[in-house]
């Protein structure tokens, strides 16, 4: 029987392990699949600029708030609030996070399954000799099938479940420590190839030159939602992870490092993709297939393209895995610590339930693509509700909890490791946490939903 005693809980072994695990959670399909695809849908540079502003003034304070809450309480996403604010309704923030985790992992597992299919395609060299139209047809043909994408989704969810069962130390750390730097290297090589393609300049200006006439209210809300999604914020993932951190870590510098790494990788992925999108005449707003259609074109235009395609999809799948385990961990820590379900059973039950919800997400790309509500499929709705509604509300409650409920003294105590560290940024952090972040989230949120 597991107890809530700190000494009984699993914990990370050392500094690199923690940074690798948090960065492994943050860096995933959000950076390489979702960021480029929604940047294309919402018109490019202006969206990117708003996204970066959201990261700096909202994402960073929310991340530091999650670290503060989790490490102070040493509990899961719900238990942390119960411990720090006994008898108060703050724990509902965590409950909402559990719901968000369910939804996100449901569609995340589907897209991660696509990366496995594409890894298979890379192995048998199926991109060779195909033109952009062929590659578009290849993607459309694959995701609209019934069985194949669901098969890969099951495999991916099985892998996620298996790693979570293996525990924090064994699973999470080992995978992220070695492989994420290699993924970064491959993306940089892809960048070099992409920006030297004829016509690349147009892609770079699409990505970096803001044209505010293309930016809608929904675009701004999506930029905010994606800041949360990409940094793994707003649902207690980082509360859960930081609950395993030691009391001598520097939370502030860790938040900055992880934020910079995550944002850098997203931008580098954008630089690999948009020049190629324009060079090959692909529609920037092509949607969720953008990366899967564009990059195979790039692989064909580079020496060693076969090896690069293989490594890229392999590492993308690994990046997805280090993120998906962090999402599942939120649910499992809650089930096992709060509901006292044995960890093993909790892991298996949660995986099965989430995978089932993922099935209609997968079918949204084909058999159920006509089943729409207000122009969005089941897949779109899960993504929209989780990323654009639940995460921003969760993020708002998390910063407000630290800014207003914990307050100056307790926050200072935690962030300075009981006075051992200097934290000159503390007044700025609390100002953002109390006023700016909640206000901006509320305005963007209401405006994006058309209520303001
Ligand atoms: N951040 C991950 C990505 O970019 C996905 C993810 C992991 C996530 N944990 C999360 C998203 C928690 C939101 C909340 O791919």
């Amino acid at each position: 029987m597991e107890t809530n005693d700190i000494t009984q809980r699993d914990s990370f072994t050392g500094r690199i392990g923690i940074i690798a695990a948090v960065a492994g959670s943050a860096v995933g399909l959000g950076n390489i699949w979702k960021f480029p695809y929604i940047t294309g849908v919402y018109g490019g540079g202006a969206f990117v600029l708003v996204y970066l502003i959201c990261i700096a003034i909202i994402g960073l304070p929310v991340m530091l708030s999650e670290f503060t809450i989790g490490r102070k309480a040493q509990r899961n996403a719900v238990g942390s609030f119960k411990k720090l604010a006994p008898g108060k309704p703050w724990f509902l923030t965590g409950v909402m996070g559990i719901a968000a985790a369910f939804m996100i992992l449901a569609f995340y597992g589907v897209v991660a399954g696509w990366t496995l299919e594409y890894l298979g395609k890379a192995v048998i060299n199926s991109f060779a000799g195909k033109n952009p139209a062929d590659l578009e047809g290849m993607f459309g043909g694959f995701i609209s099938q019934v069985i194949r994408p669901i098969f890969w989704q099951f495999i991916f969810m099985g892998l996620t479940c298996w790693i979570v069962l293996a525990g924090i130390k064994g699973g999470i750390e080992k995978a992220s420590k070695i492989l994420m730097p290699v993924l970064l290297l491959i993306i940089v090589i892809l960048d070099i190839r992409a920006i030297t393609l004829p016509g690349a300049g147009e892609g770079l200006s699409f990505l970096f030159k803001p044209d505010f006439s293309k930016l809608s209210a929904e675009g701004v809300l999506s930029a905010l939602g994606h800041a949360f999604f990409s940094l793994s914020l707003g649902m207690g993932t980082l509360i859960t992870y930081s609950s395993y951190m030691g009391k001598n870590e520097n939370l502030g510098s860790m938040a900055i490092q992880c934020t910079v790494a995550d944002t850098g990788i997203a931008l580098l992925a954008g630089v690999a993709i948009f020049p190629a999108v324009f060079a090959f005449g692909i529609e920037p707003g092509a949607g969720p297939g953008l990366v899967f259609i564009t990059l195979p074109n790039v692989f064909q235009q580079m020496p060693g393209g076969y090896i690069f395609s293989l490594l890229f999809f392999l590492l993308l799948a690994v990046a997805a895995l280090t993120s998906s385990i962090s999402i599942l961990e939120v649910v499992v820590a809650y089930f096992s610590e709060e509901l006292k379900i044995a960890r093993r059973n909790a892991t298996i039950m949660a995986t099965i339930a989430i995978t089932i919800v993922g099935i209609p997400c997968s079918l949204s790309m084909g058999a159920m693509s006509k089943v729409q509500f207000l122009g969005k499929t089941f897949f779109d709705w899960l993504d929209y509700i989780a990323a654009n509604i639940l995460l921003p509300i969760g993020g708002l409650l998390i910063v407000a909890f630290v800014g207003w409920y914990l307050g100056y003294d307790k926050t200072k105590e935690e962030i300075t490791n009981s006075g051992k560290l200097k934290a000159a940024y503390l007044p700025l952090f609390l100002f953002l946490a109390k006023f700016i972040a909640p206000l901006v989230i509320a305005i963007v949120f209401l405006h994006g939903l058309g209520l303001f």
Side-chain angles (χ1 to χ4, degrees):
M1 191 68 210
E2 305 204 8
T3 72
N4 281 347
D5 190 329
I6 298 165
T7 54
Q8 300 273 312
R9 300 178 88 233
D10 223 341
S11 69
F12 288 113
T13 51
R15 226 186 129 63
I16 301 291
I18 299 158
I19 295 195
V22 175
S25 167
V27 176
L29 296 171
N31 308 61
I32 292 158
W33 160 72
K34 197 175 174 193
F35 172 72
Y37 125 59
I38 59 178
T39 295
V41 168
Y42 292 114
F47 174 86
V48 175
L49 185 64
V50 174
Y51 169 68
L52 294 175
I53 294 170
C54 289
I55 292 275
I57 65 168
I58 300 170
L60 200 49
V62 175
M63 184 180 283
L64 189 50
S65 299
E66 291 208 22
F67 285 171
T68 306
I69 296 170
R71 198 183 59 172
K72 200 170 186 61
Q74 309 266 306
R75 295 279 186 283
N76 60 77
V78 175
S80 287
F81 287 101
K82 285 193 177 156
K83 180 169 177 194
L84 299 177
K88 303 259 164 41
W90 284 104
F91 74 94
L92 293 171
T93 310
V95 174
M96 207 176 63
I98 309 297
F102 248 85
M103 295 185 178
I104 291 175
L105 191 50
F107 73 82
Y108 206 85
V110 171
V111 180
W114 301 349
T115 67
L116 295 179
E117 165 82 12
Y118 267 65
L119 174 58
K121 287 192 194 306
V123 171
I124 59 171
N125 203 9
S126 20
F127 311 129
K130 301 269 188 338
N131 64 34
D134 295 337
L135 289 166
E136 202 174 332
M138 180 189 262
F139 180 76
F142 162 62
I143 54 163
S144 58
Q145 289 174 39
V146 173
I147 302 294
R148 251 181 116 84
I150 293 178
F151 168 77
W152 287 117
Q153 180 216 352
F154 280 24
I155 299 284
F156 182 83
M157 292 302 296
L159 284 170
T160 304
C161 180
W162 175 66
I163 294 188
V164 171
L165 282 176
I168 303 286
K169 286 197 192 87
I172 301 175
E173 284 182 37
K174 274 187 204 147
S176 18
K177 237 190 299 207
I178 319 156
L179 295 170
M180 289 308 102
V182 186
L183 177 63
L184 178 63
L185 182 72
I186 293 178
I187 294 174
V188 171
I189 294 170
L190 287 174
D191 283 341
I192 295 169
R193 173 66 277 208
I195 57 181
T196 49
L197 285 167
E202 213 183 325
L204 288 176
S205 56
F206 179 85
L207 189 59
F208 292 120
K209 223 163 126 197
D211 173 356
F212 285 94
S213 67
K214 290 196 203 148
L215 192 64
S216 60
E218 186 178 309
V220 176
L221 176 60
S222 297
L224 175 70
H226 190 64
F228 287 110
F229 187 93
S230 190
L231 295 173
S232 301
L233 299 174
M235 56 168 237
T237 294
L238 298 187
I239 293 179
T240 306
Y241 268 27
S242 54
S243 75
Y244 305 118
M245 280 181 197
K247 289 287 183 191
N248 50 0
E249 298 301 332
N250 185 336
L251 298 182
S253 72
M254 200 171 315
I256 293 201
Q257 287 172 41
C258 293
T259 301
V260 169
D262 185 75
T263 310
I265 291 192
L267 292 175
L268 289 172
V271 171
I273 285 160
F274 284 102
V277 162
F278 284 86
F280 297 116
I282 296 164
E283 174 56 47
L290 191 67
V291 183
F292 294 92
I293 296 166
T294 308
L295 288 185
N297 285 294
V298 179
F299 295 130
Q300 294 195 55
Q301 302 289 323
M302 58 199 283
Y306 173 76
I307 295 294
F308 280 113
S309 68
L310 209 113
L311 278 174
F312 175 79
F313 285 112
L314 178 67
L315 292 170
L316 183 57
V318 174
L321 205 51
T322 57
S323 299
S324 65
I325 53 185
S326 77
I327 309 176
L328 186 58
E329 178 64 29
V330 174
V331 182
V332 170
Y334 169 68
F335 278 3
S336 66
E337 294 181 10
E338 298 302 308
L339 307 182
K340 308 286 181 217
I341 300 171
R343 210 184 136 90
R344 192 184 163 77
N345 295 344
T347 308
I348 293 170
M349 273 166 37
T351 303
I352 292 174
I354 291 167
T355 306
I356 291 173
V357 179
I359 292 174
C361 288
S362 181
L363 295 176
S364 292
M365 300 293 159
M368 281 173 58
S369 63
K370 297 271 156 16
V371 183
Q372 295 188 357
F373 178 65
L374 300 175
K376 286 186 164 63
T377 62
F378 186 78
F379 182 110
D380 299 334
W381 273 113
L382 276 199
D383 183 2
Y384 188 85
I385 294 172
N388 293 4
I389 297 179
L390 298 179
L391 298 184
I393 296 177
L396 192 154
L397 294 170
I398 286 165
V399 272
F401 182 80
V402 170
W404 295 97
Y405 185 84
L406 278 188
Y408 187 87
D409 291 338
K410 285 189 186 147
T411 305
K412 182 175 180 189
E413 157 98 24
E414 192 60 38
I415 279 177
T416 61
N417 297 348
S418 310
K420 284 197 217 57
L421 299 172
K422 283 216 182 70
Y425 60 84
L426 189 69
L428 173 65
F429 166 52
L430 281 169
F431 178 68
L432 290 172
K434 272 175 113 153
F435 304 107
I436 304 297
L439 204 69
V440 175
I441 295 172
I443 293 172
V444 169
F445 184 68
L446 296 175
H447 185 57
L449 295 183
L451 301 172
F452 178 75

